[in-house]
Amino acid sequence: MFITGFHSIEEKIRSLKEGTKPEFKLYYSKPGPRVKKILEAAKKAGVPCEQTDDKKLDSLVSSLDSVLQDHRGLVMELNGSNNTPSNLVDFDAWLKKLDSSAKEKVTVVLLDKITDPHNVGAIIRSCDQFGADLVIVPEHNSASNIVTNEVVGRASAGASAWVPVTVVKNLVRAAEQLKDAGFWIYGADAGGQNCTQINFAPKSVLVMGSEGSGIDVLLNKKCDTIVSIPTCGKIDSLNVSVAAGVLLYELYRKSL
């Protein structure tokens, strides 16, 4: 598996735990200032680095999505038998750990049928910037390989290496478990309460649905409050990743 994108590669290196043997390798051609900086960090972390030419790099990324083939002189190869990202967590274990902690403010983002990895990556980036504690995605009907998908990694500017993500079989069941754990569920949809006028609960779940069909009917019924963003434009709605960013900022702002 190969990764391109400076942010994604940098965060993979930064996410290495001290004393852990890296299961990836860097290939680079003529290094510019940014690549030199990444190589320096990689060598300090014990990551093998090999200089080659652009022709070799082109061949390494030839099977990737066309967007990801723009390597800009640097490619990371993941190898080894265990490439499970460290931020991929078990939902039940996460809940149990939360129950035993004294943390008062917790924000969870639940993504329903969001299949575009660019949108997912942008949402994860906002989650990192505004302190979300967990992203929940369904096993089906979502961007495939949510954590390891390198379009997601690139769109998130590397944040997908840090933000905890869990994959569940049933979003409705996950919402029920969160409610049982004391969370208030906020569904994002047009016609809801103005988000600027809401006092968000200390334990909040933000549910974002697909731009086409919105939040699933059964999941919508689990929401305690429907929230919307006041706008003044001519078109009917914001892009889902933009909307998630605005709502996450509103939760973050009100917690300051």
Side-chain angles (χ1 to χ4, degrees), residues 8 34 47 82 90 128 133 143 148 152 157 173 189 196 229 239:
S8 294
R34 183 71 180 277
V47 178
N82 182 19
D90 177 82
D128 173 65
D133 297 272
T148 57
V152 171
R173 173 58 183 149
D189 204 354
T196 65
I229 300 167
N239 169 277

Side-chain angles (χ1 to χ4, degrees), residues 13-14 16 20-22 24 39-47:
I13 295 168
R14 287 183 60 199
L16 271 175
T20 301
K21 182 179 179 181
F24 42 78
L39 291 173
E40 182 180 344
K43 290 172 182 177
K44 286 182 179 178
V47 178

Side-chain angles (χ1 to χ4, degrees), residues 20-86:
T20 301
K21 182 179 179 181
E23 291 192 329
F24 42 78
K25 179 179 180 178
L26 288 182
Y27 295 90
Y28 64 98
S29 55
K30 296 178 181 178
R34 183 71 180 277
V35 173
K36 286 180 179 178
K37 181 181 176 182
I38 295 172
L39 291 173
E40 182 180 344
K43 290 172 182 177
K44 286 182 179 178
V47 178
C49 302
E50 179 179 320
Q51 186 166 17
T52 182
D53 54 33
D54 284 332
K55 185 177 180 179
K56 171 68 178 294
L57 298 183
D58 291 342
S59 69
L60 293 177
V61 301
S62 60
S63 62
L64 297 181
D65 182 281
S66 58
V67 175
L68 303 177
Q69 291 181 20
D70 179 19
H71 53 72
R72 292 185 290 170
L74 185 67
V75 175
M76 175 179 279
E77 180 185 19
L78 297 182
N79 48 61
S81 58
N82 182 19
N83 289 322
T84 301
S86 59

